[in-house]
Amino acid sequence: HYTFFPGQPRWPAGTETLTYAFDPNENLDDSTKQVFANAFNQWSKVTTITFNETTSYNTADIKIGFYSGDHGDGEAFDGVLGTLAHAFSPTDGRFHLDKAEDWVVNGDVTESSLSNAVDLESVAVHEIGHLLGLGHSSIEEAIMYPTISSRTRKVELEEDDIDGIQNLY
Ligand code: TQI
Ligand code: ZN
Ligand code: ZN
């Protein structure tokens, strides 16, 4: 079953649009940006919230970046595997990914020759759940379940994820 963060933090009632921006210090290609757009779309399909990319990094609601090791927020990344990414609860908006991972952007992670390949969209859908206020779920099929097998793609929201987000918003 789904959970929320302690105190049930959420984006304010009446929030129709949340903006997101990529750290301007990096140059992500369009296919990487499209993966995030697809991941946000999974959640906008089942809520009344729309996600729009903005180039105004400083004022964006959600700030996305790839970092390695200690990147200044007290939650250092650990190299290949282990922690893949983290996102903070509402309304912080920080969404960080570990640069050290072998992220799969295009192509089929289940067919990857790299045993440590990680599907970017699967992780993004999970982290956006956290950004919106969902904690972890006890249901193994749910996007918000706390573990994912390697070389697995899981991007479709499960009924439990939908129930959780619709209960919060
Ligand atoms: N990152 C953890 C996660 O997102 C970080 C974390 C632990 C966390 N507890 C939290 C974030 C509570 C917010 C609230 O769960 S992770 C998966 C999964 C990770 C794990 O790198 O371990 C995914 C990131 F579920 F598959 F194991 C993405 Cl999809
Ligand atoms: Zn961080
Ligand atoms: Zn999680």
Side-chain angles (χ1 to χ4, degrees):
H1 196 280
Y2 62 80
T3 62
F4 303 127
F5 291 103
Q8 230 166 287
R10 47 162 286 169
W11 294 86
T15 298
E16 292 176 350
T17 305
L18 291 174
T19 57
Y20 66 93
F22 298 100
D23 188 325
N25 293 315
E26 55 206 320
N27 227 334
L28 301 178
D29 55 31
D30 287 344
S31 54
T32 304
K33 292 184 177 179
Q34 188 59 48
V35 167
F36 287 96
N38 293 347
F40 280 116
N41 190 241
Q42 294 288 336
W43 294 102
S44 58
K45 280 195 288 188
V46 299
T47 61
T48 55
I49 302 172
T50 301
F51 300 92
N52 288 143
E53 189 188 345
T54 173
T55 52
S56 305
Y57 185 72
N58 290 162
T59 58
D61 297 308
I62 295 168
K63 296 173 164 60
I64 305 172
F66 289 80
Y67 307 102
S68 34
D70 183 354
H71 53 283
D73 62 10
E75 308 268 355
F77 283 128
D78 53 4
V80 177
L81 299 182
T83 301
L84 313 169
H86 54 229
F88 295 79
S89 57
T91 51
D92 180 287
R94 282 174 292 173
F95 177 2
H96 298 163
L97 301 102
D98 191 343
K99 226 185 181 83
E101 307 306 341
D102 281 305
W103 295 107
V104 173
V105 172
N106 296 304
D108 185 349
V109 74
T110 67
E111 300 272 287
S112 177
S113 54
L114 296 168
S115 60
N116 53 295
V118 181
D119 184 57
L120 180 61
E121 190 173 340
S122 301
V123 171
V125 176
H126 179 97
E127 295 305 329
I128 294 164
H130 288 317
L131 288 165
L132 293 175
L134 290 177
H136 285 146
S137 172
S138 54
I139 306 224
E140 201 171 341
E141 292 73 29
I143 287 285
M144 297 315 297
Y145 191 71
T147 60
I148 190 172
S149 310
S150 59
R151 281 188 277 188
T152 299
R153 181 167 166 88
K154 186 160 96 175
V155 298
E156 300 289 337
L157 299 181
E158 179 61 26
E159 184 177 277
D160 180 66
D161 302 303
I162 299 170
D163 287 350
I165 204 68
Q166 292 186 164
N167 186 297
L168 189 58
Y169 289 93

